[in-house]
């Protein structure tokens, strides 16, 4: 196994790594830097697009362009013009939240959730946006929504609340997009740090970036720890498989806004490429709308 920096660059709050197999490129977002980023598999050919507000997540659309989950709600995005077009905002009346993480299910729904800027109160929620732009609330009472991802058979939806230190598993109905029977998969203190972004590999194991613990943990579907990969940055925010064979793990990290020059975390905000894991990911579906 080898861990290398993806680029020399650092980002305020890098998140949402997303491999696009058609173009063989990696996308990610800088939430607080308000920017979408793209590179080739090795971190070269960097390109970026500014967006008008904090950007929690991005889904690539089936017919080109992207759907963004911004502070002001769902927006469509055109990479050619760089134009953003607001679609709908499920939390238009709540000033203290923003979108924080999101992913597309295998029927093309964009599932994304929000967080409390103050990271203290359960004022956030998570939503499912369907191809006809209908938005359904899947859950509420969330402080910091994170880690949406599905089991390979689509029967389980994993999600986390970082502030509660908990990863949940819910039954998922891929035909309707509804969740039920939500239970705790990994509780607080059962793994180092707090749960941040996650992905599921081809064997159905969950890879979860552990915020504040500088690592990515691979959990078995029963929630037990299978392995831990140490990462040189402390606030690891998300991870995704990518590369030509879908066997590299891209890991993002963030700078602590309260302590931007933290001497104990000199690589904060870096992106990493982990190779030689011997595990493959699954291709990410596209938003059907
Ligand atoms: C959020 C950060 C937050 C962190 C805490 C991340 O997903 O984007 O703002 O501080 O989770 O776990
Ligand atoms: Ca996250």
């Amino acid at each position: 196994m080898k861990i290398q920096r993806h680029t020399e660059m650092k980002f305020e709050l890098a998140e949402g790594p997303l491999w696009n197999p058609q173009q063989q490129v990696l996308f990610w977002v800088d939430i607080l830097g308000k920017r979408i980023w793209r590179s080739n598999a090795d971190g070269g050919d960097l390109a970026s697009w500014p967006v008008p507000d904090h950007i929690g997540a991005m889904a690539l659309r089936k017919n080109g362009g992207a759907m963004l989950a911004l502070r002001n709600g769902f927006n469509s995005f055109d990479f050619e013009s760089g134009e953003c077009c607001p679609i709908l905002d499920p939390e238009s009346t709540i000033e203290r939240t923003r979108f924080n993480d999101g992913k597309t299910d295998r029927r093309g729904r964009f599932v994304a959730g929000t967080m409390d800027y103050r990271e203290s109160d359960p004022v956030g929620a998570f939503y499912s946006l369907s191809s006809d732009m209908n938005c359904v609330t899947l859950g509420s009472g969330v402080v910091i929504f994170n880690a949406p991802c599905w089991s390979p058979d689509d029967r389980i939806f994993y999600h986390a609340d970082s502030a509660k230190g908990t990863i949940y598993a819910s039954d998922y109905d891929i035909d309707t997009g509804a969740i039920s029977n939500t239970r705790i998969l990994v509780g607080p203190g059962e793994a180092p740090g707090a749960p941040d972004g996650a992905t599921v590999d081809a064997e159905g194991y969950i890879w979860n970036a552990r915020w504040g613990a500088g690592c990515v943990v691979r959990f078995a579907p029963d929630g037990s720890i299978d392995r831990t990969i140490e990462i040189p940055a402390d606030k690891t925010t998300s991870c995704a498989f990518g590369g030509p064979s879908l066997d590299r793990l891209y890991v993002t990290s963030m700078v602590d806004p309260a302590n931007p020059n933290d001497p104990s975390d000199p690589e904060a905000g870096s992106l990493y490429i982990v190779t030689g894991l011997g595990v493959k990911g699954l291709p990410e579906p596209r938003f059907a709308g």
Side-chain angles (χ1 to χ4, degrees):
M1 191 198 69
K2 193 172 129 205
I3 302 177
Q4 66 199 84
R5 285 278 292 276
H6 156 277
T7 45
E8 291 289 299
M9 281 198 67
K10 291 179 186 170
F11 308 90
E12 275 183 73
L13 206 182
E15 269 277 2
L18 172 65
W19 177 252
N20 176 349
Q22 285 81 24
Q23 294 176 289
Q24 294 283 303
V25 294
L26 179 77
F27 286 97
W28 68 100
V29 299
D30 186 340
I31 298 183
L32 299 178
K34 300 183 190 170
R35 211 168 257 276
I36 300 168
W37 285 88
R38 191 191 69 194
S39 75
N40 66 20
D42 302 318
D45 283 336
L46 277 178
S48 75
W49 294 261
V51 290
D53 214 335
H54 292 161
I55 172 167
M58 177 181 94
L60 293 169
R61 302 176 78 166
K62 193 179 64 185
N63 298 320
M67 186 59 68
L68 313 180
L70 301 185
R71 181 182 191 173
N72 73 346
F74 292 108
N75 284 244
S76 64
F77 182 74
D78 178 17
F79 288 101
E80 243 122 78
S81 64
E83 229 171 282
C84 233
C85 177
I87 305 279
L88 68 100
D89 184 0
E91 296 185 5
S92 58
T93 58
I94 315 173
E95 199 36 52
R96 62 189 284 182
T97 58
R98 64 160 168 84
F99 273 102
N100 189 51
D101 204 352
K103 255 198 196 66
T104 307
D105 79 3
R106 286 181 193 86
R107 291 285 168 82
R109 301 178 190 94
F110 186 24
V111 174
T114 61
M115 65 172 274
D116 178 14
Y117 271 102
R118 293 177 227 166
E119 306 194 355
S120 59
D121 293 312
V123 290
F126 51 110
Y127 307 91
S128 177
L129 184 73
S130 55
S131 57
D132 58 2
M133 305 300 161
N134 186 44
C135 180
V136 175
T137 304
L138 292 185
S140 56
V142 179
V143 186
I144 304 177
F145 180 78
N146 259 312
C149 51
W150 289 265
S151 60
D153 65 5
D154 298 319
R155 291 168 69 167
I156 301 169
F157 173 58
Y158 301 106
H159 49 110
D161 189 326
S162 304
K164 296 177 190 167
T166 302
I167 304 177
Y168 303 93
S170 301
D171 292 342
Y172 196 71
D173 184 335
I174 190 70
D175 290 325
T176 64
I179 67 168
S180 58
N181 187 26
T182 298
R183 62 258 178 205
I184 293 175
L185 183 76
V186 182
E190 289 175 23
D196 212 319
T199 191
V200 172
D201 67 30
E203 295 162 18
Y205 283 60
I206 305 120
W207 294 77
N208 178 226
R210 303 297 301 188
W211 192 91
C215 65
V216 176
V217 171
R218 185 187 196 231
F219 293 100
D222 67 2
S224 61
I225 295 179
D226 172 72
R227 59 202 272 211
T228 300
I229 312 294
E230 306 282 343
I231 301 292
D234 177 59
K235 290 165 188 72
T236 36
T237 52
S238 194
C239 58
F241 282 94
S245 309
L246 267 179
D247 61 352
R248 304 166 163 210
L249 191 70
Y250 294 95
V251 182
T252 53
S253 72
M254 70 182 272
V255 174
D256 184 352
N259 193 5
N261 296 310
D262 184 356
S264 71
D265 191 13
E267 293 199 14
S270 305
L271 236 139
Y272 299 89
I273 307 176
V274 187
T275 49
L277 288 166
V279 178
K280 283 189 185 216
L282 293 167
E284 286 297 333
R286 287 181 175 232
F287 178 59

